[in-house]
Amino acid sequence: MSPTTANAADRKGVFIQTFGCQMNEYDSAKMLEQLRAENYAPVDSPARAHLILVNTCAIREKSEHKVYSLLGRLGGIKRSRPEVVIGVGGCVSQQRGAEILKRVESVDMVFGTDNLFELPAMLRAVAAGERVVRTDWHDRKRKVANFIPDFGSAFGAPDEVKAGLAITKGCNNFCTFCVVPYTRGREVSREPENILAEARAMLARGIREITLLGQNVNSYKAGETDFVGLLGHLNELEGLQRIRYTSPHPKDFDEKLAEAHAVLPKLCEHLHLPFQSGSDRILKAMRRNHKIATYLDKMTMIRQRVPSIAISTDIIVGFPGESEEDFEATLNVLRTVRFDHVYAFKFSPRSGTPAATLSDQVPERVRAERLARLFELNDSIVSERTSALIGSRQEVLSEGPHRRGCGAITGRTRGNKPVMVVDCNAERGDLVPVEIVSARKFSLVARDLRRGCR
Ligand code: SAH
Ligand code: SF4
Ligand code: F3S
């Protein structure tokens, strides 16, 4: 009997808890696709699951703590129902491997970031009584490889209008603070035809907005096709409304890509470009491969071409050796660029990375105080930028009814701001022309322009 015709009662429940970035969300979706083919169905609580998967993130110490505390709680479920299988995948698994099995008795299997497509075989090994660890890398020498073997187009979640699509995996940059090159391996790009085939499968199941994913997404290169070439191909796909990408690196953000934002209708007026620190001294110690002046020039370049572009960024405060003056330089970048959204983090030493062992670590108290000062400044900038949108006309991609009900729908602008459109009967996936009527701290309220002036 095929999984689609199996009686719902025959299916086993799987619960997947995902931590971390959009790449992890994407990987979790791939796990679910494989499991559906194995006659599993998603359930909304670990208490009702036969299989519990935890897809982990190692980016900061806190991310790793969250994983172990969840595994501790899941231990209770395993004690009351020993037949439950618990698997741990993702970046912590890649780094820690068998250590997780030793540390957490209730875990049955640990698999790395290159092993997620071996789930059915691993489950069979667990059923045969093994405790499984698979963290071996696939062919590490290939720069181009189609590392997603199956698109599972028949199984996508039916109520989604936007999704991520991996175009590269891994990273060769080795920024001194970052675990990703160790947890995701060397950078590999997928062939354009392979990416376009997955994009078409996504469109067939109702996806209207695709975010291209990669740890260093704009260094994509497969044969003659570079990142901008790939954007051009995607822009031609019928049924696709919007394209975004994350995360690009400033060193690979060039005029050609800025121009693509101006000329490709589906590429959104939205750019997430991390700068990490406003101090050249710290950027060098981070091994970011660019100076802050170059970053600021790139901001000017993109705003000249696309004046309405919304820009977001990532920042680390309290990197080892960061002085008050270095931190002030970071605040100055915020004052100069005036971002639409900022993700800022206290530096977190990660084992295996060069920055973790530097002698001039900034005390936790100073890191916390700098982060609070940064948010205080940035919150006022962001609310000014958000309020400036009042009265403007925007396009919202409907993601369906707003959770508050009352005939409103929820969605995002092309600049990626969340919007509640009141008194709107758009279907999920519709593009709605709106006028912004009011602004909250991080979101907007709008009226549906198709309903005329009232
Ligand atoms: N590839 C992306 C970043 C991915 S990680 C890039 O190069 O921009 C997402 C963000 O987490 C980073 O931009 C950085 O701001 C933050 N981050 C990474 N390692 C960190 C660490 N050790 N401590 C604190 N923040 C960190
Ligand atoms: Fe980490 Fe740097 Fe690679 Fe981004 S570019 S994933 S911060 S090593
Ligand atoms: Fe975390 Fe791994 Fe993503 S460390 S941020 S899940 S690449």
Side-chain angles (χ1 to χ4, degrees):
M1 188 162 32
S2 84
T4 40
T5 56
N7 188 316
D10 298 338
R11 294 194 199 136
K12 289 188 268 181
V14 54
F15 179 83
I16 308 183
Q17 176 72 52
T18 309
F19 295 101
C21 61
Q22 290 184 60
M23 189 67 95
N24 253 20
E25 299 281 350
Y26 176 83
D27 286 350
S28 291
K30 295 292 163 199
M31 291 180 202
L32 188 57
E33 284 172 12
Q34 289 172 80
L35 291 166
R36 282 188 201 261
E38 298 279 315
N39 209 19
Y40 282 85
V43 290
D44 54 13
S45 141
R48 299 204 299 120
H50 299 82
L51 169 63
I52 303 172
L53 295 176
V54 183
N55 196 5
T56 63
C57 172
I59 203 79
R60 285 167 290 274
E61 203 176 0
K62 221 194 221 167
S63 331
E64 198 165 341
H65 278 164
K66 279 190 203 159
V67 170
Y68 285 109
S69 81
L70 174 64
L71 291 177
R73 293 198 300 280
L74 295 177
I77 296 182
K78 183 84 170 180
R79 278 188 292 280
S80 59
R81 287 195 296 128
E83 70 282 5
V84 170
V85 174
I86 301 183
V88 186
C91 288
V92 176
S93 294
Q94 187 64 51
Q95 251 204 324
R96 308 285 181 213
E99 195 186 313
I100 300 177
L101 284 191
K102 267 200 219 131
R103 206 170 141 174
V104 194
E105 207 188 326
S106 53
V107 172
D108 299 288
M109 58 184 192
V110 173
F111 53 101
T113 52
D114 252 7
N115 310 93
L116 69 104
F117 289 100
E118 296 155 37
L119 260 181
M122 289 188 278
L123 286 169
R124 281 192 291 278
V126 170
E130 254 184 77
R131 282 183 96 199
V132 177
V133 182
R134 289 202 189 179
T135 53
D136 46 312
W137 297 109
H138 292 166
D139 186 353
R140 295 193 72 170
K141 293 203 184 72
R142 292 175 66 187
K143 291 202 165 68
V144 178
N146 293 329
F147 51 86
I148 303 295
D150 178 8
F151 310 141
S153 55
F155 297 118
D159 56 348
E160 283 172 1
V161 296
K162 51 184 194 176
L165 170 50
I167 64 161
T168 71
K169 67 166 180 176
C171 182
N172 297 343
N173 287 332
F174 288 92
C175 301
T176 56
F177 52 80
C178 185
V179 289
V180 171
Y182 311 95
T183 65
R184 294 273 173 179
R186 294 297 68 72
E187 188 176 305
V188 181
S189 295
R190 285 171 77 180
E191 281 166 27
E193 258 320 310
N194 183 253
I195 294 168
L196 290 168
E198 182 167 10
R200 286 189 201 101
M202 286 173 155
L203 294 172
R205 60 170 222 242
I207 295 295
R208 294 290 166 261
E209 174 178 311
I210 290 180
T211 300
L212 303 179
L213 302 176
Q215 274 81 35
N216 187 2
V217 72
N218 54 337
S219 67
Y220 173 86
K221 183 98 175 95
E224 293 301 303
T225 311
D226 62 6
F227 185 58
V228 172
L230 180 67
L231 288 172
H233 291 314
L234 284 153
N235 189 66
E236 301 295 312
L237 291 180
E238 206 174 314
L240 182 60
Q241 304 285 12
R242 291 175 168 185
I243 307 168
R244 302 184 197 276
Y245 56 90
T246 197
S247 276
H249 193 292
K251 75 176 167 52
D252 301 309
F253 187 84
D254 55 11
E255 289 202 22
K256 206 171 145 193
L257 180 48
E259 190 57 25
H261 277 275
V263 301
L264 297 178
K266 293 179 183 173
L267 186 58
C268 287
E269 295 78 22
H270 170 219
L271 171 66
H272 177 72
L273 197 62
F275 78 92
Q276 313 296 2
S277 168
S279 153
D280 281 340
R281 209 173 60 80
I282 298 296
L283 284 174
K284 192 163 178 221
M286 288 175 161
R287 208 189 284 138
R288 285 295 286 179
N289 276 318
H290 68 86
K291 298 212 157 141
I292 197 62
T294 336
Y295 182 90
L296 294 172
D297 286 348
K298 290 182 183 198
M299 294 287 105
T300 309
M301 173 177 82
I302 183 74
R303 280 186 168 148
Q304 272 166 357
R305 284 179 171 78
V306 188
S308 65
I309 197 152
I311 305 177
S312 54
T313 198
D314 289 350
I315 299 169
I316 296 179
V317 300
F319 183 85
E322 184 189 74
S323 65
E324 180 58 28
E325 200 185 339
D326 294 319
F327 175 63
E328 271 298 329
T330 298
L331 296 184
N332 277 336
V333 174
L334 294 185
R335 292 183 187 106
T336 308
V337 178
R338 297 175 61 78
F339 293 98
D340 296 273
H341 200 85
V342 167
Y343 301 87
F345 313 96
K346 289 181 285 181
F347 169 71
S348 171
R350 307 305 295 132
S351 62
T353 65
T357 49
L358 291 173
S359 57
D360 43 0
Q361 300 287 326
V362 174
E364 163 61 22
R365 180 185 51 76
V366 177
R367 281 184 268 167
E369 180 256 339
R370 285 184 186 162
L371 188 66
R373 276 165 63 200
L374 185 148
F375 280 131
E376 195 186 331
L377 167 67
N378 194 59
D379 281 1
S380 64
I381 296 173
V382 170
S383 52
E384 279 167 31
R385 298 234 355 128
T386 310
S387 302
L389 294 171
I390 296 173
S392 70
R393 292 184 170 209
Q394 305 280 338
E395 173 204 272
V396 170
L397 176 65
S398 168
E399 292 170 29
H402 196 275
R403 65 188 146 73
R404 294 220 186 126
C406 322
I409 61 113
T410 186
R412 285 187 182 243
T413 62
R414 285 173 65 93
N416 212 29
K417 279 268 185 233
V419 190
M420 174 168 97
V421 187
V422 293
D423 196 11
C424 176
N425 59 4
E427 299 288 328
R428 208 174 252 127
D430 287 352
L431 291 174
V432 189
V434 305
E435 183 187 67
I436 306 301
V437 292
S438 63
R440 300 176 182 154
K441 194 168 167 191
F442 295 114
S443 64
L444 300 163
V445 179
R447 74 180 179 90
D448 182 349
L449 283 172
R450 300 171 310 175
R451 292 187 165 250
C453 294
R454 275 184 291 172

